[in-house]
């Protein structure tokens, strides 16, 4: 009898040990293994971590859009400039036909001279003023120091110098005091070589006008400055353009623009290059000269762009329209 009791107790004790061992070691392992078995995401679904990132108000793409928003423009230039329209202009004559500082007539058929500036001093005369501020949509900053008068020339410069966070510093000026409705603009100039540089002259509204934009009398983004784009960004948002081709960075040329009702006629060295006739402005505008860099039309300078550079202007004549 006693022997049976001992065997029964020994068996009960052994069973108790087995249950304790299972509770401590085997059951937790099974639980952990079952927790690892989760539903695998279906192909094309979004994991939770990515979904949170997309709904995060600090989404880096949103920050990028903010960084790419155009800076406010304190100097004239509306961007982007449209892609040039291919045309076949009249060939430009050689620079040998260009004269220096001709005596302009004080009046001629339909025109009266109101400015004759040959830049023979050491500073700008009235009515010129300089640009000061960022080039809207580009990577350059207009600095009055980049506009100099010396040796009988106006120098509108550009250099690889950071100003107010902009990598390129350029110059610009305008005859703010001679804003007018219609007129004739004539000047002798040589453009700078280089990628990422856009020497330009412009007519800009003297005051805010409904649906108005600028007239680029010329701009020349090609590296060798062998093409000029004369573009009217019309009052209805459309554009009209003529082109001229020549070696505009290798020598001085005379550029002439005759702005009359319904027409802007473009001449180089006295040769007619064509006329703009669509949506011609009929409100007061002023004439400007400048260099910009790093916008959608021009692109960025490369290591071959030999800074500093300048657009050199020999003289400027501005006429009033008497029609």
């Amino acid at each position: 009898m006693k022997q049976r009791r001992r065997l029964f107790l020994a068996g009960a004790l052994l069973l108790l040990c087995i249950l304790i061992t299972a509770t401590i070691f085997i059951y937790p392992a099974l639980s952990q293994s079952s927790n690892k078995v989760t539903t695998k995401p279906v192909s094309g679904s979004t994991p939770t971590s990515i979904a949170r990132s997309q709904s995060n108000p600090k989404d880096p793409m949103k920050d990028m859009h903010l960084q790419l928003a155009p800076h406010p423009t304190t100097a004239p230039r509306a961007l982007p400039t449209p892609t040039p329209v291919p045309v076949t202009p009249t060939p430009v004559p050689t620079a040998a036909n260009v004269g220096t500082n001709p005596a302009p007539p004080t009046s001629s058929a339909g025109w009266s001279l109101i400015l004759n500036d040959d830049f023979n001093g050491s500073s700008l005369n009235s009515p010129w003023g300089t640009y000061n501020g960022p080039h809207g949509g580009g990577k350059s900053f207009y600095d009055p120091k980049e506009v100099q008068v010396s040796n009988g020339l106006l120098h509108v410069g550009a250099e690889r110098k950071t100003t107010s966070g902009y990598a390129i510093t350029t110059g610009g000026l305008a005859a703010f005091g001679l804003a007018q409705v219609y007129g004739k603009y004539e000047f002798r100039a040589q453009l700078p070589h280089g990628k990422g540089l856009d020497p330009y002259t412009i007519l800009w509204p003297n005051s805010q006008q409904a649906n108005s934009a600028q007239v680029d009398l010329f701009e020349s983004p090609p590296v060798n400055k062998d093409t000029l784009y004369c573009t009217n960004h019309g009052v209805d948002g459309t554009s009209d353009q003529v082109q001229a081709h020549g070696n505009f960075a290798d020598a001085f040329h005379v550029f002439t623009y005759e702005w009359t009702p319904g027409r802007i006629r473009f001449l180089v060295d006295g040769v007619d290059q064509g006329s703009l006739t669509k949506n011609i402005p009929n409100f007061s505008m002023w004439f400007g000269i400048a260099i910009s860099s790093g916008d959608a039309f021009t692109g960025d300078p490369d290591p071959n762009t030999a800074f500093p550079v300048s657009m050199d202007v020999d003289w400027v004549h501005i006429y009033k329209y008497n029609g």
Side-chain angles (χ1 to χ4, degrees):
M1 187 67 180
K2 290 183 179 179
Q3 183 67 26
R4 288 181 180 178
R5 285 183 178 178
R6 290 192 186 100
L7 291 174
F8 176 78
L9 290 174
L13 183 60
L14 177 61
L15 179 61
L16 179 62
C17 290
I18 292 172
L19 291 174
I20 292 174
T21 301
T23 302
I24 296 175
F25 297 103
I26 299 175
Y27 178 76
L30 291 173
S31 299
Q32 291 177 3
S33 175
S34 65
N35 287 340
K36 291 181 181 178
V37 180
T38 58
T39 303
K40 186 176 181 180
V42 178
S43 177
S45 65
T46 303
T48 302
S49 60
I50 297 178
R52 288 176 180 172
S53 174
Q54 290 175 340
S55 62
N56 188 348
K58 294 295 185 181
D59 184 354
M61 286 305 296
K62 293 181 180 178
D63 292 341
M64 183 179 294
H65 290 317
L66 291 175
Q67 293 169 3
L68 292 178
H71 295 273
T73 305
T74 57
R77 292 285 277 145
L79 291 173
T81 307
T83 303
V85 179
V87 297
T88 304
T90 304
V92 176
T94 62
N97 297 327
V98 180
T100 303
N101 288 329
T106 56
S107 63
S108 59
W111 309 107
S112 294
L113 183 69
I114 58 175
L115 177 69
N116 175 22
D117 198 338
D118 56 11
F119 304 106
N120 281 334
S122 58
S123 61
L124 289 176
N125 298 319
S126 176
W128 298 106
T130 55
Y131 297 175
N132 187 2
H135 163 51
K139 299 178 182 178
S140 57
F141 191 94
Y142 295 112
D143 187 340
K145 295 179 182 178
E146 295 295 333
V147 177
Q148 301 290 330
V149 177
S150 65
N151 301 318
L153 295 172
L154 166 68
H155 307 283
V156 182
E159 58 181 317
R160 198 185 296 274
K161 181 180 76 172
T162 300
T163 303
S164 298
Y166 292 81
I168 306 298
T169 302
T170 68
L173 71 160
F176 297 111
L178 293 180
Q180 58 182 350
V181 182
Y182 309 128
K184 179 178 177 180
Y185 303 88
E186 189 170 46
F187 54 96
R188 182 174 185 259
Q190 181 174 359
L191 311 188
H193 284 278
K195 184 180 183 299
L197 298 174
D198 186 14
Y200 69 89
T201 56
I202 195 170
L203 290 176
W204 188 269
N206 190 42
S207 60
Q208 184 62 39
Q209 301 286 333
N211 302 319
S212 68
Q214 82 267 16
V215 178
D216 291 315
L217 296 178
F218 78 64
E219 52 187 339
S220 186
V223 175
N224 294 325
K225 309 308 176 216
D226 55 3
T227 303
L228 302 178
Y229 304 104
C230 177
T231 310
N232 173 31
H233 304 278
V235 294
D236 65 348
T238 61
S239 294
D240 189 17
Q241 185 182 94
V242 295
Q243 298 180 14
H245 298 277
N247 298 317
F248 303 113
D250 296 335
F252 281 86
H253 294 269
V254 176
F255 307 98
T256 305
Y257 302 87
E258 297 176 349
W259 173 28
T260 57
R263 183 185 185 192
I264 297 177
R265 185 185 180 210
F266 175 31
L267 301 93
V268 178
D269 298 331
V271 177
D272 193 340
Q273 302 298 306
S275 295
L276 306 173
T277 57
K278 297 179 182 178
N279 303 301
I280 299 300
N282 59 357
F283 42 79
S284 181
M285 306 182 84
W286 45 254
F287 170 74
I289 306 171
I291 298 178
S292 64
S293 178
D295 58 43
F297 192 34
T298 305
D300 295 333
D302 63 17
N304 295 321
T305 304
F307 288 104
V309 298
S310 69
M311 172 168 50
D312 297 329
V313 181
D314 190 5
W315 47 261
V316 174
H317 304 154
I318 298 179
Y319 296 83
K320 178 183 177 182
Y321 177 62
N322 295 328

